[in-house]
Amino acid sequence: MSGSYSEIYKSAGVDITAGYKAVDLMKPYVRNTFIPGVLGGIGGFGGLFQPDLTGISEPVLVSGTDGVGTKLKIAFLTGKFDTVGIDCVAMCVNDVVCAAAKPLFFLDYIAVGKNRPEVVADIVKGVSDGCIKAGCALIGGETAEMPGFYPEDEFDLAGFCVGLADRQKITDCSGIVPGDIVIGLPSTGVHSNGFSLVRKLLIDGEASVSVYSDELGCTVGEALLTPTEIYVKPLLALMEAVKVKGAAHITGGGFFENIPRMLPEGICAEIDTKAIPVLPIFNLLARTGNIAPREMYNTFNMGVGMAVVTAPEDADKALEVLRTNGIKAEILGVCRAGEKGVELR
């Protein structure tokens, strides 16, 4: 019998051979993400990456980490696991790119109650798809089988990303002045925040995710599992074309928490809530929970996954660049003098 097999460890709930099978199944997905700079493959004790510093005068590493949160509960109910990895990547790389950093590499952490190799491979496929869309490499990760800590049919998923920026180009928001334009980049849905409230309002067991909604044009589960948009390539293209003064990833806390994070003191962002149509899923949530508009904008992205600030003379070009790169962006509002924060109109 192979020395890699442990009957006594398996009796405690940890199947080492299942872990090996999961690694074998995920290897093609990992290889698909490799970009110049990746050294070696997976299986070592650390992921190796050699960055190309050509043309960068003051290299700065920018890192981000996040998880998928209780959106995973929807995946458990639907049995669909090949998209939550995209969410995991998106939540990290969308943060990193706000600082004008190009994501270089990504690592994931999957903690399972029972290692089901095909499920783990599906999760990693999603991570791979997200990395490819972001232009970064998946160079390592960890799958931890933790019986007794997680139910056998559940897992948690988190990730970590490192990007590279030139210090001279980092968006520090200090140049934002009254009259600057706020541009909104549409979201694809709820993304990966607010799902504790979403589940309270819409999810009541397995049957609820299978309900077809004419309003949504799909089942409730399908709408909620729509992956988080990855804005990396369009935003990097925008930053090459015009001066982006600030960028904000609209995550938990909605407009009121995230937009001020890109504003200097003394600047308020006036936001036109009619600029980008509110997605049907948010109308359904608001109606079901009888939630006031301000609370909705304080919790969800409401159809805007990313906001950027440019000078007024750059706004038209910015919209053109984003639309050329597949993002139907719109002018969302304007900056004015006032207490730092957000005003909706």
Side-chain angles (χ1 to χ4, degrees):
M1 182 177 292
S2 169
S4 64
Y5 178 81
S6 173
E7 186 66 42
I8 192 167
Y9 206 4
K10 186 175 182 180
S11 71
V14 178
D15 188 347
I16 296 174
T17 55
Y20 297 150
K21 182 178 180 182
V23 171
D24 285 339
L25 291 174
M26 71 177 70
K27 280 182 177 179
Y29 302 131
V30 176
R31 282 195 294 268
N32 287 342
T33 72
F34 284 0
I35 60 175
V38 175
L39 302 179
I42 62 171
F45 290 98
L48 306 179
F49 192 92
Q50 184 176 17
D52 181 1
L53 304 181
T54 304
I56 300 178
S57 58
E58 294 182 85
V60 176
L61 295 178
V62 182
S63 60
T65 185
D66 208 338
V68 181
T70 62
K71 182 173 185 174
L72 292 176
K73 288 284 190 180
I74 312 300
F76 302 156
L77 290 172
T78 62
K80 181 175 175 57
F81 306 114
D82 61 348
T83 60
V84 290
I86 300 175
D87 292 293
C88 190
V89 174
M91 296 306 293
C92 297
V93 297
N94 286 344
D95 281 355
V96 165
V97 76
C98 285
K102 181 185 185 305
L104 298 177
F105 58 82
F106 188 86
L107 294 93
D108 59 23
Y109 174 76
I110 307 169
V112 301
K114 180 178 178 61
N115 194 329
R116 295 176 289 166
E118 290 76 15
V119 170
V120 172
D122 270 354
I123 298 168
V124 175
K125 177 186 182 301
V127 174
S128 169
D129 290 343
C131 286
I132 290 169
K133 188 166 185 179
C136 64
L138 175 58
I139 63 170
E142 171 70 8
T143 302
E145 190 170 16
M146 302 170 66
F149 196 86
Y150 293 98
E152 285 195 359
D153 57 350
E154 294 191 4
F155 59 87
D156 198 7
L157 173 62
F160 176 82
C161 174
V162 172
L164 181 66
D166 193 326
R167 184 172 181 178
Q168 299 174 1
K169 297 180 180 179
I170 291 177
T171 52
D172 64 2
C173 313
S174 62
I176 295 177
V177 296
D180 281 342
I181 302 300
V182 183
I183 295 173
L185 285 64
S187 70
T188 51
V190 184
H191 283 185
S192 299
N193 298 102
F195 271 85
S196 294
L197 179 56
V198 168
R199 290 185 299 111
K200 178 182 178 181
L201 296 177
L202 300 183
I203 304 302
D204 182 19
E206 188 172 340
S208 59
V209 297
S210 302
V211 173
Y212 184 86
S213 166
D214 289 332
E215 183 178 7
L216 302 177
C218 60
T219 67
V220 171
E222 288 169 340
L224 295 178
L225 280 181
T226 302
T228 305
E229 181 63 73
I230 292 177
Y231 299 100
V232 171
K233 291 180 180 178
L235 206 49
L236 289 175
L238 176 65
M239 290 170 171
E240 285 294 318
V242 304
K243 172 66 175 176
V244 173
K245 296 187 175 185
H249 183 199
I250 312 301
T251 56
F255 282 40
F256 291 102
E257 180 176 332
N258 292 290
I259 290 179
R261 293 169 66 178
M262 69 170 172
L263 301 176
E265 293 297 330
I267 295 292
C268 176
E270 283 190 353
I271 301 300
D272 179 5
T273 57
K274 296 182 178 63
I276 293 181
V278 173
L279 297 174
I281 187 65
F282 298 115
N283 291 326
L284 178 61
L285 287 164
R287 189 172 64 251
T288 303
N290 193 27
I291 305 173
R294 184 177 180 85
E295 282 300 315
M296 290 294 294
Y297 281 91
N298 198 34
T299 306
F300 300 110
N301 68 63
M302 299 302 287
V304 179
M306 183 78 72
V308 299
V309 174
T310 70
E313 59 270 23
D314 290 331
D316 286 344
K317 185 174 182 180
L319 293 172
E320 180 185 349
V321 170
L322 289 169
R323 290 168 183 169
T324 298
N325 283 272
I327 301 293
K328 296 180 180 179
E330 300 289 349
I331 291 178
L332 192 62
V334 64
C335 296
R336 64 166 177 80
E339 183 179 352
K340 179 179 176 178
V342 172
E343 286 191 5
L344 303 180
R345 55 181 171 85

